[in-house]
Amino acid sequence: MIVCFDIGGTTIKGALAEDPQHITPVPRIPTPANDFDAFVAALKSVIDQSPEAVRCVSISIAGFQHPRTGLGVVANIPCLHGRPMQKDLVAALGLPVIIANDADCFAIAEAECGAGKGHHVVFGIILGTGVGGGLVIDGQLINSRGGYAGEWGHGPVAATQAGNPPVSLPRFHCGCGLDGCLDATCGARGLEKIHKHIHNKDLSAEDILSLWLEQDPLASRTIDVFLDILSAPLAMIVNTTAATIIPVGGGLSNVPALIAAIDKAVRGQMLVDPETPLVVPAQNRLEPGLVGATILGLRQIT
């Protein structure tokens, strides 16, 4: 038995797991983001619910461990930020602890038992509030020793001319401190910023997509620009990594027509069009963070 967690800035999702197909969630609890002792106590409250001995704790988290220092980079959980969190959690819990980025857990879940099963190179991406990703090669996370490989959402690469005909765009400021990141431009909030910039109208991403599906001309123009910005960097990643499948999670993945449009736009900008779907909806629709954490935890103890 292992205990797995999917931890965000406001909520801790915990579960008891025997394998990826047998995960028993427990009620969610608030994240004590500013108090390390309370954070440890919250994890222990889940561990104590196990009916048998726990062999390890595996955590999916919205952050990462610095590959050189081992210190946590977890902006939304201050009590972990700048702390040697794996070392401290092992000492506090008295159990082996595995920690992985939430997008990496999503990617390994899709590679092991989702849309990426059977593929040698899987690049799993998150299109939610922002943009994230994880890279799995031959079943292994590329950054299994820590780091942020696969975080294609950050870096000043978003186009400032996009769409047909091209429209000028600013480099939207990103929470990481840079300007022009895909995270600030191509997630749900970015889609809203694009629409506001082009049409001077405040609409939610959900409303923009609904109008696009109804062939509304303003929403269609916004999606045209959005696809142009998103597809070129994604095609470059495919050319660089030789990924043969790109499962998509996050809120925007709930619109099949959008995923199909992204797939068409990406394949149109590759060196060689695979002529079969490349960008596809994720298959692990429920709790991929827990599934990925379970896979990584079980690998640790076997």
Side-chain angles (χ1 to χ4, degrees):
M1 178 73 70
I2 71 169
V3 177
C4 53
F5 293 96
D6 187 0
I7 302 176
T10 57
T11 302
I12 294 175
K13 302 174 188 176
L16 310 177
E18 298 176 5
D19 61 62
Q21 284 73 45
H22 297 88
I23 298 175
T24 305
V26 302
R28 300 182 183 191
I29 53 179
T31 302
N34 296 292
D35 185 333
F36 183 72
D37 290 339
F39 182 85
V40 170
L43 300 189
K44 284 183 175 179
S45 72
V46 177
I47 295 168
D48 290 344
Q49 296 180 49
S50 175
E52 56 187 82
V54 174
R55 301 179 65 187
C56 83
V57 172
S58 188
I59 296 172
S60 166
I61 197 164
F64 64 92
Q65 297 179 95
H66 192 289
R68 180 174 55 83
T69 66
L71 299 181
V73 181
V74 193
N76 60 351
I77 307 178
C79 71
L80 298 181
H81 187 72
R83 174 188 290 271
M85 55 181 176
Q86 184 175 36
K87 179 181 177 181
D88 287 358
L89 286 174
V90 167
L93 298 174
L95 290 166
V97 176
I98 299 96
I99 301 174
N101 173 263
D102 54 356
D104 287 341
C105 286
F106 163 77
I108 198 70
E110 284 299 303
E112 182 87 4
C113 52
K117 188 174 183 179
H119 290 260
H120 292 297
V121 182
V122 179
F123 186 61
I125 68 172
I126 303 294
L127 295 178
T129 302
V131 175
L135 181 63
V136 178
I137 299 177
D138 290 332
Q140 301 295 321
L141 281 170
I142 194 68
N143 53 351
S144 58
R145 296 183 180 180
Y148 51 89
E151 278 293 351
W152 72 302
H154 296 286
V157 300
T160 55
Q161 293 280 326
N164 184 24
V167 61
S168 295
L169 294 161
R171 291 192 177 276
F172 296 120
H173 187 67
C174 183
C176 74
L178 297 173
D179 295 324
C181 291
L182 295 178
D183 186 74
T185 310
C186 291
R189 302 293 82 82
L191 180 61
E192 293 163 1
K193 292 174 189 174
I194 293 170
H195 194 79
K196 171 71 171 179
H197 177 75
I198 297 174
H199 306 300
N200 197 29
K201 292 181 180 293
D202 288 307
L203 286 180
S204 69
E206 293 80 5
D207 287 342
I208 294 167
L209 288 165
S210 294
L211 289 168
W212 173 62
L213 292 172
E214 296 170 2
Q215 299 183 344
D216 173 81
L218 298 186
S220 296
R221 176 63 163 150
T222 297
I223 296 299
D224 171 60
V225 171
F226 172 86
L227 292 172
D228 199 14
I229 298 169
L230 182 71
S231 60
L234 193 48
M236 180 64 74
I237 287 174
V238 175
N239 291 342
T240 302
T241 64
T244 53
I245 197 76
I246 303 176
V248 186
L252 296 184
S253 72
N254 294 324
V255 183
L258 180 65
I259 303 306
I262 295 171
D263 176 63
K264 181 178 179 181
V266 170
R267 289 193 289 111
Q269 299 193 63
M270 291 173 54
L271 287 173
V272 178
D273 183 350
E275 298 180 355
T276 56
L278 175 71
V279 183
V280 300
Q283 292 182 5
N284 288 284
R285 307 303 296 178
L286 297 175
E287 307 301 354
L290 292 177
V291 174
T294 297
I295 292 168
L296 294 175
L298 291 172
R299 288 181 179 181
Q300 177 75 11
I301 63 176
T302 56

